[in-house]
């Protein structure tokens, strides 16, 4: 280019030579003298070296802190992790789990979902394929058994429930059962393990005491398991609406998704049939409830408006704790109790306890295996192991 060729000479020339250079450049290009002078001055200045995009802003301290937050919440995707960081980072710093300065904390809390996924990409591994449950409308009134009120998905207390048997693929009875219940409006999930199906009433009573709202309806995804009779009696005594979902392999789709993330990832399809395993499983469910319900964000689809673009789905990303706290159907007293529990809970400590107890549970199941029987000895998989398994 002509400008680059004469720019260095123009910068070092005296007034007479600069005039001659400008005359020559204007004659060769047809430019105005002001434009030619500006072009020569710009070309003579050295361009500042720009750092590679994204390399200088987030150093190793920021990425290390990001990995800790990602691990504590069991490795969610960036779209779920990004909204949780502004709340999670101060909590971890308050409990001395994150030793970072204010500048690093600010960068971490402002990190976008796309940047999070890029930074964590080297630490992910391909996931084991899991059975997916097609989301869709549930025909809750297809077989109504007991109906005391209209079903309302937007009101806390209407829950999907299922019972999972821990037979390890070897049916024959004597194994433990876990009752899993998920509130549709808030995503709040509680699990309880019992020995027999008849013990479901005790599990439901414990779940009802732990919930920050009363149970108003139960939608069962179990069929031909003997659990329906127990559920029907429990609901009739407490005037709770009881309905059936359409038969599905893994139950209703809300609680079915949580079954993988909060139940099967811990139980690992092993056989559990001892009292020690029953006690340990319930300890795991209690710790997992504190971590998942208070700190793990979940995505709920937002209904499209009348004139909204229906080709693009919108999602509300929040924790069950926040959805419960902002709902008008929850009492002020219950919201205050939740806030007190949230303020004194250390999510990193809960995550360590869950990992330790899960490893112990798997060893107990492996020690019972008869000689020659293959028992998978996999490490604890995070609750969303379908998309982001543990490193």
């Amino acid at each position: 280019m002509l400008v680059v060729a004469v720019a260095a000479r123009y910068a070092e020339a005296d007034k007479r030579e600069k005039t001659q250079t400008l005359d020559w450049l204007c004659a060769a290009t047809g430019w105005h003298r002001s434009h030619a002078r500006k072009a020569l001055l710009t070309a003579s200045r050295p361009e500042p070296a720009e750092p590679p995009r994204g390399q200088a802003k987030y150093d190793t301290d920021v990425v290390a802190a990001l990995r800790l937050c990602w691990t504590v919440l069991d490795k969610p995707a960036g779209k779920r992790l990004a909204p949780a960081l502004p709340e999670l980072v101060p909590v971890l710093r308050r409990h001395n789990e994150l030793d970072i300065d204010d500048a690093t904390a600010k960068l971490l809390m402002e990190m976008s979902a796309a940047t999070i996924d890029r930074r964590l990409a080297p630490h992910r591994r391909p996931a084991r394929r899991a059975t997916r449950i097609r989301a869709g409308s549930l025909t809750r009134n297809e077989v109504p058994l007991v109906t005391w009120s209209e079903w309302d998905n937007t009101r806390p207390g209407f829950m999907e429930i299922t019972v999972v048997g821990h037979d390890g693929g070897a049916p024959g009875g004597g194994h433990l059962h876990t009752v899993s219940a998920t509130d549709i409006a808030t995503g709040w999930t509680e699990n309880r393990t019992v020995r027999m199906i008849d013990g479901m009433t005790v599990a439901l009573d414990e779940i009802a005491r732990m919930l920050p709202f009363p149970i108003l309806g139960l939608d069962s995804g179990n069929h031909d398991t003997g659990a329906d009779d127990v559920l029907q009696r429990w609901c009739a005594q407490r005037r709770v609406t009881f309905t059936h979902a359409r038969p599905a392999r893994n139950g209703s789709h809300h609680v079915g998704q949580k079954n993988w993330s909060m139940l099967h990832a811990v139980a690992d399809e092993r056989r559990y049939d001892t009292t020690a395993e029953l006690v340990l499983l319930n300890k795991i469910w209690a710790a997992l409830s504190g971590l998942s319900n208070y700190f793990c964000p979940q995505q709920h689809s937002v209904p499209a408006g009348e004139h909204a673009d229906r080709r693009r789905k919108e999602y509300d990303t929040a924790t069950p704790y926040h959805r419960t706290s902002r709902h008008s159907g929850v009492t002020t007293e219950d919201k205050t109790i939740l806030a007190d529990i949230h303020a004194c809970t250390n999510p990193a400590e809960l995550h360590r306890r869950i990992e330790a107890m899960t490893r112990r549970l798997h060893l107990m199941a492996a020690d019972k295996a008869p000689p020659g029987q293959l028992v998978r000895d996999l490490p604890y998989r995070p609750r969303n192991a379908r998309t982001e398994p543990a490193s």
Side-chain angles (χ1 to χ4, degrees):
M1 185 177 180
L2 292 176
V3 176
V4 178
V6 300
R9 186 178 62 187
Y10 178 82
E12 299 175 356
D14 56 18
K15 182 177 181 181
R16 181 178 179 180
E17 292 177 352
K18 285 184 178 180
T19 302
Q20 293 176 353
T21 303
L22 282 175
D23 292 341
W24 173 81
L25 184 60
C26 291
T29 60
W31 290 348
H32 191 275
R33 294 181 68 86
S34 298
H35 178 73
R37 183 183 299 107
K38 183 178 180 180
L40 288 170
L41 292 175
T42 301
S44 63
R45 298 191 187 101
E47 296 183 359
E50 295 184 359
R53 184 177 180 181
Q55 295 295 324
K57 187 175 182 180
Y58 301 113
D59 56 14
T60 55
D61 292 338
V62 180
V63 177
L66 174 64
R67 287 194 62 188
L68 176 61
C69 297
W70 180 57
T71 303
V72 167
L73 296 188
D74 285 336
K75 301 177 172 60
K79 288 186 177 181
R80 290 177 53 216
L81 181 57
L85 288 177
E87 178 183 3
L88 180 64
V89 171
V91 171
L92 293 179
R93 294 182 72 190
R94 185 171 66 247
H95 291 282
N96 298 320
E97 298 288 347
L98 264 181
D99 185 14
I100 56 177
D101 55 24
D102 292 340
T104 302
K106 185 175 183 297
L107 288 174
L108 184 59
M109 291 186 291
E110 294 176 350
M111 194 175 294
S112 67
T115 302
I116 290 173
D117 287 333
R118 286 196 302 269
R119 293 295 178 177
L120 297 176
H123 309 292
R124 302 181 190 272
R125 293 187 307 178
R128 190 185 77 174
R129 183 177 295 275
T131 302
R132 299 197 59 172
I133 301 172
R134 179 181 295 274
S137 59
L138 301 179
T139 55
R140 293 188 179 84
N141 295 323
E142 187 178 77
V143 189
L145 300 180
V146 180
T147 302
W148 303 102
S149 62
E150 293 296 330
W151 196 277
D152 186 2
N153 289 351
T154 63
R155 184 179 177 185
F158 289 91
M159 312 184 72
E160 291 180 354
I161 187 170
T162 189
V163 182
V164 178
H166 301 292
D167 57 9
H175 55 275
L176 304 179
H177 300 79
T178 294
V179 180
S180 181
T182 298
D183 180 65
I184 299 176
T186 64
W188 197 287
T189 299
E190 294 286 347
N191 297 328
R192 288 297 181 275
T193 299
V194 296
R195 180 167 294 279
M196 305 294 293
I197 291 293
D198 293 341
M200 285 181 58
T201 56
V202 177
L204 287 171
D205 290 339
E206 292 182 1
I207 290 175
R209 286 195 296 269
M210 295 300 299
L211 290 172
F213 39 77
I215 297 179
L216 303 177
L218 290 179
D219 183 73
S220 173
N222 293 95
H223 299 268
D224 300 327
T225 61
D228 283 344
D229 293 338
V230 179
L231 288 173
Q232 185 176 6
R233 290 195 301 269
W234 189 88
C235 291
Q237 293 173 359
R238 292 158 181 79
R239 299 181 67 85
V240 171
T241 297
F242 181 45
T243 61
H244 259 220
R246 177 174 293 144
R249 180 178 178 182
N250 291 322
S252 305
H253 82 272
H254 286 89
V255 73
Q257 291 169 344
K258 291 300 187 67
N259 274 351
W260 175 260
S261 61
M262 288 188 64
L263 197 156
H264 292 299
V266 172
D268 197 28
E269 300 179 359
R270 301 169 186 253
R271 180 178 178 86
Y272 304 109
D273 50 18
T274 66
T275 302
E277 291 167 338
L278 185 148
V279 174
L280 189 55
L281 277 168
N282 282 322
K283 289 182 179 179
I284 294 175
W285 303 144
L288 196 56
S289 172
L291 179 62
S292 176
N293 291 324
Y294 284 92
F295 295 99
C296 292
Q298 303 170 9
Q299 285 187 329
H300 284 193
S301 60
V302 178
E306 181 179 357
H307 302 291
D309 185 1
R310 297 183 181 273
R311 293 175 297 178
R312 179 180 178 182
K313 290 186 177 180
E314 298 292 337
Y315 295 93
D316 167 47
T317 303
T319 62
Y321 159 71
H322 284 298
R323 287 197 178 96
T324 304
S325 298
R326 71 193 184 196
H327 203 285
S328 59
V330 181
T331 65
T332 304
E333 181 181 359
D334 287 331
K335 292 179 181 179
T336 303
I337 295 174
L338 292 180
D340 292 340
I341 295 175
H342 180 268
C344 63
T345 301
N346 182 353
E349 174 61 23
L350 285 178
H351 185 267
R352 288 192 293 268
R353 286 171 51 195
I354 294 169
E355 282 192 321
M357 289 188 293
T358 303
R359 286 194 295 266
R360 181 184 172 192
L361 179 70
H362 292 176
L363 289 175
M364 294 170 65
D367 290 341
K368 297 184 304 179
Q373 179 177 344
L374 177 63
V375 178
R376 290 180 298 139
D377 192 14
L378 299 177
Y380 164 63
R381 292 193 307 275
R383 294 191 305 279
N384 55 348
R386 289 186 298 176
T387 55
E388 292 140 355
S391 301

